[in-house]
Amino acid sequence: MMKATFLSVFASRLALSLATLLTLLAATPHARAQAVVVMVNGEPITTYDIEQRSRLITLTTRKTAPRQEVIQQLIDDRLKIKEAKKFGINLSASDVDGAFAGMGQRMGMSADQLAKVLTAQGVRPETMKLRLQADTAWGALVRGRYKQSLMVGERDVRAASGDATSPEQTESYEYQLRPVVIFVPRGSSPGVVEQRKKEAEIIRDRVQSCAEAATTFKSLRQASIRDTIVKTSADLPSNLRELLDKTPVGKMTPPEVTKQGIEMVALCDRKVTAADTPAKRAARDKLFAQKYEAKSKSYLDDLRKGAMIEYKQK
């Protein structure tokens, strides 16, 4: 009886010891991964954070960043987020998710698809979201606090774009447009697509005004015409600007095969405007970017000087 009891107690203790050992073994890698490397104003940056950001940088730049550079980037992100919160810029989870979804959309995929791409490369979606949160909040803060000093003067813009001599760069137009699409069923043969394109050409030759274009395309079951939109020269890519400048007012641009079907644009009006030319818009954007980068750098340098940054390990 005593022997049986002893064996029972021994077995229980052995089971408990094994369970404890397994727990420690399972926890050890995680603990190592979460070791704190640096504290930034009381917030930890761990080895896992560094590993994740390193993978993100490699994925997005195709380059391997030095470890200290990765740590500095993480420090800056925490400083940016905290400073933005101090001035009332506190992005919600839905704001960050929206920025993440917007990034995916620009890459031609949904938020879920982008998350899967990141996960497949060993990067948690939250790692990208943290970077988006920092950049978005910081951009809003710098532009808001230093709005006046970031303004670009017309004299500077003219000087920066003064080398432009072609008419499309020295004159700016305002275009009133009505986009048109003739739908072609998905999977249609090249012959069907070509036939619809010929039909579009016939209609294009017949149309002499935006009013006629509206009447014509509204009567067609497999076509659609959008409401009038207004664009300036600086809003449009150069190939479309050139096409619209060659198109008489009231006529339509040549039909183009796209994913939607056969697309054309009816030119309702074209007039000279005081809005930026493409060259001036490019110069203005470049000058603003230069001012923003300089202000952002000096602001962040000041934050680093006043921050409590304590390295726990190298």
Side-chain angles (χ1 to χ4, degrees):
M1 182 69 178
M2 291 180 60
K3 185 176 182 181
T5 303
F6 173 79
L7 289 175
S8 176
V9 172
F10 178 77
S12 297
R13 290 179 177 176
L14 179 60
L16 180 61
S17 299
L18 287 173
T20 303
L21 179 60
L22 289 172
T23 301
L24 289 173
L25 288 173
T28 301
H30 181 72
R32 281 202 302 267
Q34 290 293 328
V36 176
V37 176
V38 59
M39 296 291 291
V40 184
N41 292 327
E43 294 185 44
I45 293 175
T46 68
T47 49
Y48 183 70
D49 296 327
I50 297 167
E51 175 197 331
Q52 280 288 295
R53 181 57 64 90
S54 296
R55 290 183 180 183
L56 179 61
I57 292 172
T58 301
L59 178 62
T60 55
T61 67
R62 302 298 178 188
K63 296 179 181 178
T64 302
R67 189 171 188 269
Q68 189 55 42
E69 183 179 314
V70 176
I71 293 173
Q72 188 60 62
Q73 193 179 99
L74 288 166
I75 292 173
D76 289 348
D77 282 357
R78 280 155 177 74
L79 294 176
K80 289 176 180 178
I81 292 171
K82 183 174 182 179
E83 183 72 2
K85 286 181 179 178
K86 189 170 81 173
F87 287 89
I89 303 173
N90 190 5
L91 300 184
S92 66
S94 60
D95 292 331
V96 178
D97 287 343
F100 186 78
M103 170 176 280
Q105 188 175 25
R106 290 190 294 274
M107 297 170 67
M109 62 182 85
S110 67
D112 287 342
Q113 289 172 327
L114 176 56
K116 288 178 180 177
V117 169
L118 291 172
T119 302
Q121 297 297 320
V123 179
R124 296 173 69 243
E126 287 73 17
T127 300
M128 174 66 82
K129 289 180 181 181
L130 179 63
R131 187 69 199 272
L132 287 173
Q133 180 185 0
D135 287 346
T136 304
W138 182 251
L141 174 63
V142 175
R143 288 192 298 270
R145 286 200 68 190
Y146 302 102
K147 183 177 180 180
Q148 293 299 320
S149 63
L150 292 176
M151 291 182 66
V152 178
E154 287 300 317
R155 181 180 298 178
D156 294 332
V157 173
R158 286 196 296 271
S161 60
D163 293 336
T165 55
S166 64
E168 72 165 8
Q169 292 179 312
T170 56
E171 281 190 323
S172 182
Y173 293 98
E174 179 184 275
Y175 306 93
Q176 293 185 22
L177 313 169
R178 296 203 68 175
V180 171
V181 58
I182 298 176
F183 300 110
V184 179
R186 289 179 178 270
S188 296
S189 66
V192 171
V193 175
E194 188 61 31
Q195 179 61 35
R196 299 306 294 274
K197 188 176 179 181
K198 288 179 180 178
E199 292 170 2
E201 283 282 12
I202 294 171
I203 297 173
R204 172 177 175 251
D205 291 339
R206 190 185 304 152
V207 168
Q208 299 298 318
S209 68
C210 270
E212 282 188 32
T215 301
T216 300
F217 287 99
K218 284 181 179 179
S219 65
L220 296 176
R221 293 178 58 188
Q222 298 298 319
S224 175
I225 182 167
R226 289 177 57 189
D227 292 336
T228 302
I229 59 174
V230 178
K231 297 288 185 181
T232 67
S233 297
D235 296 328
L236 303 172
S238 59
N239 60 333
L240 183 53
R241 286 200 308 268
E242 293 173 7
L243 190 59
L244 290 172
D245 289 341
K246 295 175 183 177
T247 302
V249 173
K251 299 293 288 181
M252 305 184 72
T253 59
E256 180 183 1
V257 179
T258 68
K259 291 182 179 180
Q260 301 297 323
I262 309 297
E263 295 192 47
M264 298 182 287
V265 176
L267 178 61
C268 302
D269 195 15
R270 177 181 56 231
K271 58 185 179 184
V272 176
T273 178
D276 282 349
T277 63
K280 287 178 67 177
R281 173 71 64 83
R284 189 184 303 279
D285 290 346
K286 182 178 180 181
L287 291 171
F288 177 85
Q290 290 172 347
K291 285 193 168 191
Y292 174 87
E293 287 301 323
K295 180 60 68 177
S296 175
K297 183 179 183 304
S298 64
Y299 192 175
L300 197 52
D301 285 344
D302 289 341
L303 288 181
R304 291 194 196 107
K305 291 174 185 176
M308 292 290 293
I309 301 174
E310 181 186 2
Y311 282 87
K312 299 295 185 179
Q313 60 173 273
K314 294 295 183 182

